Amino acid sequence: MKRQWNAVAATLGLVLGVAALAGMLLTDEFAHAAGAEARGYDALFRVVASEPRVVGDLPTTAGPAKLLAANDACEVDR
């Protein structure tokens, strides 16, 4: 009997979760939040790209691939 109640609760939770997600996606608030997040990341990337900085021994003009490789090397050393 307990197994049946667990299945009912899981199904009900899934249905309510899907309904809540669908309701959120159909509102303008979701689009507004996603746009604000995208604008925030864009602004952050512009600031990072415009400021001359040095990451380890590499200048930021070294390119994303070299910077990611340097970051991965630092994480291995920790």
Side-chain angles (χ1 to χ4, degrees):
M1 188 71 164
K2 177 118 173 118
R3 177 182 271 175
Q4 289 178 340
W5 283 113
N6 287 342
V8 169
T11 304
L12 184 61
L14 180 64
V15 169
L16 291 176
V18 168
L21 182 61
M24 183 185 69
L25 289 175
L26 293 175
T27 65
D28 288 335
E29 288 299 319
F30 180 77
H32 178 70
E37 183 179 8
R39 285 188 301 276
Y41 278 122
D42 185 50
L44 175 65
F45 292 146
R46 286 177 192 256
V47 168
V48 169
S50 68
E51 293 182 5
R53 294 184 180 226
V54 175
V55 177
D57 295 332
L58 297 171
T60 56
T61 57
K66 287 185 180 179
L67 292 174
L68 287 173
N71 188 35
D72 290 341
C74 291
E75 288 179 6
V76 171
D77 292 339
R78 290 181 193 173

